[in-house]
């Protein structure tokens, strides 16, 4: 199984600012995924990050708001830009294996 | 549009009860169905199902998939307070990405 770490684990931010979330995996993986879980809701896929190419965003999510970097096969970042209170969520990165998809511990973000 | 529907949305039981959680789906190009347990932030993997009629079992938890009727169930027998969590059903279609249901919030009271 993959071991995934995320930083920060939580943060409180002011509206209009940006936050970058880091995701580190203990093995090389082709695809990494970024999900958002708003309060009381299920997980929604934001984008798929492949190493060496631009991320693929799901409907409703755009690169200007959620820029993603994938500099190598073990690391990715997600930036939440120009934040508003509606961005308060848990942000999770995940990686796929033949057996399942493993999730990082998540970043709990509160925007005031 | 791919869709995953879980029921019930919430459930309150007493320790020792048996519960059945439901997950139905409509997806193009079905690949797999996964069950996760979410207690705080990160979902923890429980089962992955790809074939109809084959039960997967882990301790008091078991799950089965019906690809003809497009649903899966997750059973928990002899529930304990530690089983209290949100149980998420997700379906993989086509690529590696997953579509999640809204989850079932299970509360097990002593």
């Amino acid at each position: 199984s993959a071991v995934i770490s995320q930083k920060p684990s939580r943060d409180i931010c002011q509206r209009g600012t940006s936050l970058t979330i880091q995701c580190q995996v203990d093995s090389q993986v082709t695809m990494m995924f970024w999900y958002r879980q708003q309060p009381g809701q299920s997980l929604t896929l934001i984008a798929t990050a492949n190493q060496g190419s631009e991320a693929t965003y799901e409907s409703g999510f755009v690169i200007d708001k959620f820029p993603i970097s994938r500099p190598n096969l073990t690391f990715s970042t997600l930036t939440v830009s120009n934040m508003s209170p509606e961005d308060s969520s848990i942000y999770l990165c995940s990686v796929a294996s033949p057996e399942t998809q493993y999730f990082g511990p998540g970043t709990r973000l509160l925007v005031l | 549009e791919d869709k995953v529907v879980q029921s019930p949305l919430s459930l309150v039981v007493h320790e020792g009860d048996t519960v059945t959680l439901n997950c139905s789906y409509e997806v193009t190009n079905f690949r797999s169905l996964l069950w996760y347990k979410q207690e705080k932030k990160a979902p923890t993997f429980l089962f992955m199902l790809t074939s109809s009629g084959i039960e997967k079992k882990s301790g008091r938890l078991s799950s089965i998939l019906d690809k003809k009727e497009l649903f899966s169930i997750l059973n928990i027998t002899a529930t304990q307070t530690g089983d209290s969590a949100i149980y998420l059903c997700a379906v993989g279609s086509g690529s590696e990405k997953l579509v999640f249901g809204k989850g079932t919030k299970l509360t097990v009271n002593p």
Side-chain angles (χ1 to χ4, degrees), chain B residues 24-95:
Chain B
S24 64
Y25 61 91
E26 291 178 29
V27 299
T28 54
N29 200 15
F30 173 88
R31 185 168 44 82
S32 60
L33 185 144
L34 294 88
W35 285 97
Y36 289 89
K37 178 182 181 183
Q38 186 177 32
E39 293 178 87
K40 289 184 180 176
K41 288 188 295 185
T44 304
F45 172 71
L46 295 175
F47 298 111
M48 183 173 83
L49 304 157
T50 56
S51 301
S52 270
I54 299 175
E55 185 183 53
K56 292 229 174 166
K57 200 168 169 64
S58 175
R60 296 176 294 103
L61 278 67
S62 64
S63 183
I64 197 162
L65 173 68
D66 186 328
K67 288 169 74 174
K68 183 180 175 187
E69 300 297 329
L70 307 183
F71 79 90
S72 173
I73 60 172
L74 174 69
N75 280 321
I76 308 175
T77 59
T79 51
Q80 302 170 358
T81 54
D83 295 326
S84 295
I86 296 173
Y87 290 84
L88 297 168
C89 173
V91 175
S93 66
S95 65

Side-chain angles (χ1 to χ4, degrees), chain A residues 34 41 46 65:
Chain A
W34 286 99
Q41 302 295 313
I46 298 171
K65 176 68 176 176

Side-chain angles (χ1 to χ4, degrees), chain A residues 59-78:
Chain A
S59 175
F61 297 96
V62 295
I63 188 171
D64 289 346
K65 176 68 176 176
F66 297 102
I68 287 172
S69 79
R70 184 80 201 274
N72 58 53
L73 291 173
T74 63
F75 187 79
S76 178
T77 67
L78 169 77

